[in-house]
Amino acid sequence: MSRQKNLIIAGVALVILIGGYFGATAYKKAQIEKQAEQYKSLYMTEIDTKKVTRIELPLKGVVLERKEETWTSPAEAQGVQLDQEEIKSILWSLCNMRYERVADENPKDLEPFGLSTPKARVVLTLEDGSKVELLGGDKTPTGMGYYGMKGGESKVYILPSYPGERLYVSLTDFRNRKLPSFNAEDVERLTLIYGNTRISIEPKPSTGVQEATFTTHILTYPYKLPRGVDSQAFHKLATALGKLQIKDFVSDKPASLAPYGLDKPEYEISVKAKVKEKVTEKEGDKEVEKEVQKDLSLHLLIGKEAAKTGPEWEKNRVFAKLKDSPTVFLLEDIRSDISVKPFDLIDKFAFIINIDKVDKLHIDYLGARHTGEIKREKVTITEKDKDGKETKREETKETFLFDGKEVEEKKFKDLYQTCIGLIIEGEIPAGWKASGKAELTLEYYLNDPAGVIQRVQYLPFNRDFYALSREGVVEFLVSKRQIEKIGESLKKVTEP
């Protein structure tokens, strides 16, 4: 075969290959465009949500009407609160109802699809007065979708589970399920009552004796003396209460609260908080975003575990209601999160106060009395910088005395740390009465507030524990091993 003939054959083959490539590419593009066009058309409804002025659920007796940008309902007169964002979400699904395929173009009988007597019916009224009706029937055999129709059409569509389920909404789905929401740091006051337990928490006062507790709150009940609140335990409790959401509504006008255990609630919770909100205000011609504080309160009653009252109720749910509302609803069962003991909520220091607020400390231990003092005086310090320029500053000079003799600062502070570092380890049993004299007494002479003396005593309880007494009130136990460490520190402070 000649060289020229080979070139001709190769050229023809190349043309065929190029033509095949472009032909295949064009076919593939046409297929993609066809699929895309088919996907675009898979909507039973395509309606601009802004043009809808009314939503009706005739089978449920529900009507919602739009007034400017707000949806309203006659049900609001009975105390129902609507969730505007959820309404908009549901409406968007109804106005953009996708379908997977047409089950039947023109069925002779709608009964096999559950559409001869529809299970759901939604009527949307538009701004021009026209209406769009959507019908929902049975679930498909796979259980993964629904049969649906559009009013005025003969087609039966197969709708995916979502958004098909939106056809079956009720008033409950439009309702506001949010309870007052807050963060732990927003909480000012909290009261929790369950069984024989009552816990009250308040902000730590800014005046009076300020123990160096690392918290912003105090527990004022059930103990006779206020106790600092443990920050982590408080945060956990407040967080459990701050994000509650209604799972379902049970009854807006219950004939009796007894079936739900709300005539005598198992738990009663009251929270007062200050939450920060961003608002937009006009300043002249400009809109300025500002952060403001808003008072918020939650007063919640929790009753019986729902599943224990009947098989119709979902597990892990409890009946609940707001104190000033008749509506009974379901909450996720949070009882294990809020069944806290008062002892678990408090910090465990017997008495801790910053050394800067103390001028003198008397220690009576096993019959021996000792006195520690801190003498403070203002002194002027003169210093020179690198250029020889003098600068003066004032500072407080501290001298540490123990039983009238000057001692090292470290030894004195180690002893002080041992005294304020005693930890309570349990509660005094009910009915116990103190007997015998204190084996350890600590008296703190304060300069802030000036002239105040705080007395802390440790009374014999048993062979392992002392009973802590503050201001004559005995409520907690401290182990003897801790008290013995004070004896050890007393020896060290006087060592040469």
Side-chain angles (χ1 to χ4, degrees):
M1 186 179 292
S2 68
R3 178 181 176 85
Q4 184 177 7
K5 191 172 182 179
N6 285 338
L7 288 173
I8 292 172
I9 292 172
V12 171
L14 180 61
V15 169
I16 292 172
L17 285 172
I18 291 172
Y21 170 78
F22 283 110
T25 301
Y27 175 77
K28 186 175 182 180
K29 182 180 179 182
Q31 288 294 101
I32 292 172
E33 289 176 350
K34 184 178 179 181
Q35 289 176 5
E37 186 62 32
Q38 184 182 24
Y39 181 79
K40 287 180 182 178
S41 66
L42 295 183
Y43 285 91
M44 190 170 77
T45 56
E46 290 184 281
I47 305 168
D48 184 351
T49 57
K50 294 180 180 179
K51 293 183 178 180
V52 179
T53 60
R54 184 180 173 95
I55 304 171
E56 295 177 73
L57 310 177
L59 303 182
K60 309 283 179 66
V62 175
V63 175
L64 287 88
E65 292 185 324
R66 180 166 60 84
K67 294 181 179 179
E68 295 181 352
E69 297 300 317
T70 303
W71 286 92
T72 64
S73 171
E76 290 177 290
Q78 279 73 52
V80 171
Q81 295 182 342
L82 300 178
D83 186 332
Q84 296 295 322
E85 294 304 314
E86 188 61 20
I87 293 172
K88 291 175 184 177
S89 175
I90 293 171
L91 179 60
W92 192 92
S93 297
L94 295 172
C95 290
N96 298 273
M97 184 59 66
R98 291 186 297 107
Y99 71 90
E100 292 178 348
R101 61 186 176 85
V102 175
D104 199 319
E105 290 282 350
N106 190 16
K108 294 180 180 179
D109 186 7
L110 293 175
E111 184 63 31
F113 306 104
L115 287 162
S116 58
T117 304
K119 307 293 189 299
R121 186 176 170 221
V122 180
V123 179
L124 305 176
T125 302
L126 309 185
E127 289 176 336
D128 60 5
S130 62
K131 296 179 184 292
V132 178
E133 184 179 36
L134 308 177
L135 304 174
D138 291 337
K139 276 192 170 185
T140 58
T142 63
M144 301 298 290
Y146 300 89
Y147 293 115
M149 293 184 73
K150 183 178 178 181
E153 292 186 359
S154 60
K155 294 178 183 178
V156 173
Y157 298 92
I158 294 179
L159 312 174
S161 292
Y162 185 88
E165 63 188 28
R166 297 292 210 179
L167 292 177
Y168 302 83
V169 293
S170 64
L171 178 62
T172 296
D173 297 287
F174 295 114
R175 295 181 70 163
N176 184 2
R177 295 170 179 257
K178 299 183 184 75
L179 291 171
S181 176
F182 48 84
N183 296 318
E185 54 269 23
D186 299 329
V187 175
E188 289 199 326
R189 287 176 166 79
L190 188 154
T191 301
L192 170 63
I193 303 170
Y194 67 94
N196 295 321
T197 299
R198 179 189 177 96
I199 294 170
S200 295
I201 295 173
E202 298 180 7
K204 188 167 71 174
S206 57
T207 59
V209 177
Q210 293 294 297
E211 292 186 58
T213 51
F214 310 102
T215 179
T216 56
H217 292 76
I218 57 172
L219 190 141
T220 58
Y221 197 89
Y223 301 122
K224 295 176 183 178
L225 293 179
R227 296 289 312 180
V229 173
D230 180 84
S231 297
Q232 289 187 344
F234 177 66
H235 188 277
K236 183 179 179 181
L237 174 61
T239 299
L241 298 171
K243 304 297 180 186
L244 297 177
Q245 191 164 17
I246 296 170
K247 295 300 181 182
D248 205 353
F249 292 91
V250 177
S251 175
D252 287 311
K253 292 184 178 180
S256 170
L257 294 175
Y260 312 109
L262 289 166
D263 55 332
K264 297 177 181 178
E266 292 186 18
Y267 294 79
E268 182 173 353
I269 301 130
S270 176
V271 178
K272 292 188 182 298
K274 283 190 180 293
V275 297
K276 293 178 181 178
E277 284 189 353
K278 289 184 178 180
V279 297
T280 303
E281 296 180 356
K282 278 196 171 182
E283 290 186 1
D285 297 331
K286 295 182 179 180
E287 287 190 344
V288 180
E289 192 177 75
K290 293 184 177 180
E291 193 172 70
V292 298
Q293 275 198 333
K294 176 184 174 184
D295 290 328
L296 179 147
S297 62
L298 170 69
H299 199 159
L300 182 70
L301 308 179
I302 295 177
K304 296 177 180 178
E305 183 179 346
K308 289 185 177 181
T309 66
E312 68 273 23
W313 302 111
E314 189 177 346
K315 291 182 179 180
N316 197 35
R317 298 287 184 265
V318 288
F319 295 116
K321 70 181 289 293
L322 296 175
K323 176 75 172 179
D324 57 356
S325 170
T327 301
V328 176
F329 47 81
L330 291 175
L331 286 179
E332 184 176 339
D333 192 350
I334 61 166
R335 292 175 299 173
S336 61
D337 294 325
I338 63 175
S339 297
V340 293
K341 296 178 180 178
F343 188 77
D344 295 332
L345 276 172
I346 60 174
D347 73 29
K348 302 304 187 290
F349 290 105
F351 180 76
I352 181 170
I353 193 160
N354 195 304
I355 194 171
D356 292 338
K357 295 185 177 184
V358 177
D359 286 338
K360 184 164 61 174
L361 171 63
H362 282 316
I363 304 174
D364 287 314
Y365 181 59
L366 298 179
R369 184 176 177 83
H370 304 277
T371 300
E373 291 183 83
I374 306 172
K375 299 292 185 181
R376 297 181 176 92
E377 61 176 324
K378 297 286 186 182
V379 295
T380 301
I381 306 296
T382 302
E383 296 176 327
K384 290 183 179 182
D385 61 19
K386 62 181 181 179
D387 298 323
K389 185 178 179 180
E390 288 188 354
T391 58
K392 294 182 179 182
R393 59 181 176 83
E394 271 197 352
E395 68 176 34
T396 300
K397 180 184 176 183
E398 294 179 328
T399 303
F400 298 90
L401 305 173
F402 189 77
D403 289 342
K405 296 181 181 179
E406 187 173 345
V407 295
E408 294 177 14
E409 178 181 348
K410 184 180 183 306
K411 289 183 178 181
F412 187 98
K413 287 187 174 180
D414 285 347
L415 171 63
Y416 186 85
Q417 184 64 42
T418 305
C419 292
I420 64 170
L422 298 174
I423 301 296
I424 60 175
E425 297 168 85
E427 296 175 316
I428 294 288
W432 183 82
K433 292 184 179 181
S435 61
K437 294 182 179 181
E439 295 186 8
L440 172 65
T441 298
L442 302 172
E443 290 180 334
Y444 299 85
Y445 289 70
L446 309 185
N447 55 53
D448 181 18
V452 173
I453 302 173
Q454 285 287 303
R455 177 178 292 174
V456 183
Q457 294 184 302
Y458 296 86
L459 310 172
F461 179 76
N462 60 22
R463 66 179 186 178
D464 297 315
F465 290 95
Y466 283 102
L468 167 65
S469 173
R470 282 186 56 190
E471 299 179 30
V473 176
V474 181
E475 296 183 288
F476 302 104
L477 297 171
V478 176
S479 67
K480 284 194 172 183
R481 179 67 191 117
Q482 292 189 74
I483 304 302
E484 289 169 358
K485 287 182 179 180
I486 290 183
E488 295 169 8
S489 295
L490 284 169
K491 291 177 182 179
K492 289 180 181 179
V493 77
T494 54
E495 287 178 351

